[in-house]
Amino acid sequence: MAFYFRYNLSLPNQLSVKFKGDGTSNTTPYELVLFSEKSMNEVKRLSSNEILADESFLINQKLEMDVRNLPRGVYILHIVPNSKSNFPVQKHRIILE
């Protein structure tokens, strides 16, 4: 896979996702979707338009998702790749405490 990511919950209201890649359209995620593990309902989404409009992402490949209104618990973050890539959807378990 051409990009890697790490997430940070050092701020209790923000889920920060840092990508490492070359910044090309092939390595830019198409969208990020956060699901409740308990219900598997979608609770948050960053669309491709929101990602590409995010100045922090354009400068340093970092996205932030506001999670202050979400109940504490376990979530699954889906990182959906650009359709031009051959990468699978990445799924990561996130615990909000």
Side-chain angles (χ1 to χ4, degrees):
M1 180 159 295
F3 68 88
Y4 305 95
F5 99 105
R6 65 181 171 85
Y7 69 90
N8 185 354
L9 287 167
S10 59
L11 297 173
N13 296 327
Q14 292 285 71
L15 170 63
S16 297
V17 182
K18 174 80 172 157
F19 292 87
K20 293 182 182 177
D22 57 13
T24 65
S25 62
N26 286 349
T27 60
T28 300
Y30 178 71
E31 64 184 354
L32 271 67
V33 187
L34 191 63
F35 294 91
S36 165
E37 184 181 68
K38 189 175 185 177
S39 68
M40 284 313 292
N41 289 330
E42 178 184 314
V43 294
K44 282 287 206 184
R45 174 183 298 265
L46 288 178
S47 70
S48 58
N49 289 337
E50 290 171 302
I51 292 170
L52 294 174
D54 189 309
E55 188 173 323
S56 179
F57 181 76
L58 298 175
I59 293 170
N60 61 21
Q61 299 279 323
K62 181 179 177 182
L63 291 169
E64 292 187 344
M65 188 178 281
D66 183 355
V67 293
R68 84 181 76 210
N69 294 326
L70 295 179
R72 303 300 91 173
V74 181
Y75 295 86
I76 306 297
L77 177 66
H78 288 208
I79 301 174
V80 181
N82 186 301
S83 62
K84 295 177 186 174
S85 75
N86 292 323
F87 303 138
V89 173
Q90 291 186 32
K91 298 174 185 175
H92 302 275
R93 193 168 189 246
I94 308 292
I95 300 172
L96 298 180
E97 299 182 306

